[in-house]
Amino acid sequence: MRCRSVSTMAFTSVLLFICSIYSCYAQVPLLMWTSGGSNMPHLAQPAAGQTVSGGQLASYLKSALSGAPHNVLLFLQDKLIMEDFTMYGGVFGNKQDSAFLTVESALQASSSPLVLPALDWSASHSILELFQGELGIPAVHINPNTLKEIKLNTSQPSLLAVHLPYSAGVQTKESLLKNDAIIGEVLNVFKSQDVPYTAVYTGLKPSRVIEETPVMAGRSVGRSLLQAPPQSSVKPPLVVNNTAGRPCILLWADTLLASYSGKQDDLAIHIFNGSADTAGSVCNETLSRLVINYQNVLDLRSLRLIFSMRKIFFPVSARNWSVVEQVVLEYDGQRAIFNASGGIYSPAEYSFHCQSVSSIQSPLLVPRSATDNANQWKLSFTDFQSPLLVPRSATDNANQWKLSFTDFQIQGFNVTGEDFSYASDCAGFFTPGIWMGLLTSLLMVFILTYGLHMIMQLRTMDRFDDPKGPAISVPQSE
């Protein structure tokens, strides 16, 4: 009775496990048990979320047949899904409505049944061949109606396969009830002839295949159209090769917004589609210059976006740093220069990344005319009638441009492939949120310390008035 109770609890827990964990339909369940009085080696159940492959199934069957009877019954149902046990089985106590009464009773009577909740349904097609290979005999497909006429020989192994139909829709439960009755009839024939057996019940394929797999299978959980599997929308970075044909500069950005004369355009959509024109780009060990050429953007005939990077050694840190010195816009014979060395830099082995690189708010790109002091100087040379020395700010048009780069990442040195190296982010370690948390914690610690100090300064009375004695005189100094 105790073994039967344990088997019942094990079967119920496995079916509950089927209901709660496995929500995909790319696998089929497999149940294996032996007749009463026969023993099958105890086999470890698969880990939670594990899908049993064909190779693992072969290992399970080989271990099971090492001690189980070699009279094998294969109940192969056309379709079987794990939800059938949940919806039509006696998992939640509704034993009278269960469509698997015979199967449940057989599992309870077996000393060590094997339940594989998730078997790769492609492996279920080979289960017949696996048993034929292990037993060394061909399978015999039988009709349950003519089974009573078959005389079984207990001294020789046998492999009998019983085909079970499956009806989807409103007739699913009726179909499962009929199949359960067929299984019961077959098992009764073996019992009447006192033949020990090993029974296997599984499906040849799932009734519904939905592209939804468990988390532990290594895929993302979610719904998607069967006609069009989800594809990654991440654009590959812009790659510039050196003279040897190896990548030397990488650039990626979600958007490269440029505004000029009241018009705005996203320059990123023109370069991450594989048609970027990078003529004029150069790169070597100490200098990298990325040039991106555009035509007919922002009502300009031509536009060149230039990133000038230099590798500089800083003795304080004792390492080389990659510094983006300038971002230059050359358009229709004019140019706009932005200084970037104050905020766009990273160790030479890393790439630089920043969520927002802008010339507007918290600018990392500073217009060159704002830092040029040429207007503070006046130079005079005789014998010249017209000024040939024009202040830089008079010819620089950086203030007419507004640049805003989103999710910007660039690497100009130590490029080893078409993937970025570790990114050095522009965000500082102590963000405003961290500072707020630290200051709040320090304030609370100060209040706690002050409170403990005040409690420790409290003094209790150590003298009491005795009505039978003289009155207490307490000096005011105390």
Side-chain angles (χ1 to χ4, degrees):
M1 292 297 295
R2 183 177 181 182
C3 293
R4 181 170 296 182
S5 173
V6 171
S7 300
T8 304
M9 294 175 62
F11 178 71
T12 304
S13 62
V14 168
L15 293 183
L16 286 173
F17 166 77
I18 292 173
C19 170
S20 59
I21 300 297
Y22 290 92
S23 61
C24 76
Y25 308 101
Q27 300 92 24
V28 295
L30 182 142
L31 309 179
M32 186 175 182
W33 69 92
T34 58
S35 57
S38 301
N39 294 322
M40 183 171 61
H42 179 73
L43 302 176
Q45 299 291 336
Q50 178 183 357
T51 300
V52 179
S53 62
Q56 294 171 328
L57 176 62
S59 177
Y60 273 113
L61 297 182
K62 184 176 182 179
S63 301
L65 291 177
S66 63
H70 283 196
N71 297 308
V72 180
L73 280 171
L74 288 180
F75 297 102
L76 302 177
Q77 191 165 286
D78 287 339
K79 298 178 181 180
L80 185 64
I81 59 174
M82 293 170 284
E83 270 195 351
D84 289 335
F85 292 98
T86 303
M87 297 177 62
Y88 308 111
V91 178
F92 300 106
N94 53 341
K95 296 291 184 179
Q96 66 279 5
D97 296 331
S98 175
F100 303 96
L101 290 175
T102 302
V103 176
E104 293 176 8
S105 300
L107 288 171
Q108 295 172 11
S110 179
S111 59
S112 55
L114 174 64
V115 179
L116 301 179
L119 171 65
D120 190 354
W121 70 275
S122 60
S124 65
H125 286 275
S126 62
I127 189 171
L128 199 60
E129 290 77 6
L130 291 177
F131 272 107
Q132 291 179 152
E134 291 294 333
L135 298 176
I137 57 175
V140 178
H141 296 269
I142 62 173
N143 188 340
N145 297 327
T146 61
L147 182 62
K148 295 181 180 180
E149 303 175 359
I150 299 178
K151 298 300 181 180
L152 300 173
N153 186 2
T154 58
S155 61
Q156 297 292 333
S158 59
L159 178 59
L160 305 180
V162 181
H163 175 263
L164 300 175
Y166 180 88
S167 299
V170 295
Q171 300 179 353
T172 300
K173 186 173 182 180
E174 297 179 2
S175 175
L176 294 175
L177 285 171
K178 292 180 181 179
N179 292 341
D180 188 71
I182 294 174
I183 294 175
E185 293 176 2
V186 176
L187 297 183
N188 288 333
V189 171
F190 273 74
K191 291 179 182 179
S192 63
Q193 299 185 20
D194 197 19
V195 177
Y197 63 85
T198 301
V200 177
Y201 178 40
T202 186
L204 295 177
K205 62 180 180 179
S207 60
R208 293 184 297 274
V209 179
I210 298 179
E211 203 164 320
E212 182 178 329
T213 56
V215 177
M216 296 189 68
R219 302 177 184 176
S220 60
V221 176
R223 297 182 179 181
S224 60
L225 293 176
L226 295 180
Q227 293 84 353
Q231 299 179 354
S232 176
S233 60
V234 178
K235 300 168 291 188
L238 174 64
V239 181
V240 177
N241 297 326
N242 55 17
T243 54
R246 298 177 181 178
C248 62
I249 303 176
L250 299 177
L251 173 69
W252 195 92
D254 189 22
T255 59
L256 294 173
L257 296 179
S259 300
Y260 176 71
S261 298
K263 298 181 180 180
Q264 180 175 285
D265 195 2
D266 184 7
L267 304 180
I269 63 177
H270 303 285
I271 62 175
F272 294 115
N273 55 5
S275 60
D277 181 6
T278 57
S281 300
V282 295
C283 54
N284 53 44
E285 292 295 328
T286 59
L287 178 65
S288 291
R289 188 170 183 261
L290 172 60
V291 180
I292 308 174
N293 302 281
Y294 299 91
Q295 300 290 332
N296 300 321
V297 294
L298 296 171
D299 291 340
L300 301 173
R301 293 189 302 273
S302 63
L303 174 65
R304 303 179 75 195
L305 177 61
I306 304 172
F307 296 89
S308 297
M309 294 166 283
R310 186 180 299 274
K311 182 190 292 186
I312 303 176
F313 179 79
F314 289 94
V316 176
S317 60
R319 69 186 309 171
N320 291 310
W321 289 75
S322 173
V323 180
V324 180
E325 295 184 325
Q326 294 179 350
V327 176
V328 182
L329 294 166
E330 295 183 353
Y331 57 101
D332 294 348
Q334 304 183 60
R335 62 173 7 198
I337 303 176
F338 293 86
N339 280 332
S341 59
I344 305 181
Y345 55 87
S346 66
E349 299 82 7
Y350 299 161
S351 62
F352 172 83
H353 176 268
C354 194
Q355 185 62 32
S356 177
V357 175
S358 174
S359 63
I360 307 170
Q361 296 180 349
S362 302
L364 296 179
L365 302 176
V366 182
R368 185 64 170 268
S369 59
T371 58
D372 203 337
N373 299 314
N375 286 326
Q376 300 179 11
W377 293 83
K378 293 182 180 180
L379 300 179
S380 176
F381 299 91
T382 59
D383 296 334
F384 289 97
Q385 300 296 327
S386 60
L388 298 179
L389 300 177
V390 181
R392 181 63 174 272
S393 58
T395 59
D396 199 344
N397 304 295
N399 287 326
Q400 300 179 17
W401 288 82
K402 293 181 181 179
L403 301 179
S404 180
F405 306 154
T406 304
D407 203 4
F408 177 79
Q409 189 169 3
I410 192 171
Q411 182 176 356
F413 303 98
N414 298 95
V415 178
T416 57
E418 296 186 359
D419 294 326
F420 286 100
S421 301
Y422 177 83
S424 176
D425 204 276
C426 63
F429 180 77
F430 287 98
T431 62
I434 295 178
W435 278 116
M436 291 174 62
L438 289 176
L439 293 178
T440 304
S441 301
L442 290 176
L443 179 61
M444 298 299 293
V445 170
F446 173 76
I447 294 175
L448 178 61
T449 304
Y450 179 76
L452 292 176
H453 176 74
M454 296 301 294
I455 292 175
M456 294 174 63
Q457 295 300 317
L458 292 177
R459 295 185 178 181
T460 59
M461 294 180 60
D462 57 354
R463 297 181 184 182
F464 301 92
D465 189 11
D466 186 2
K468 297 181 180 181
I472 296 177
S473 177
V474 181
Q476 293 184 358
S477 60
E478 296 183 8

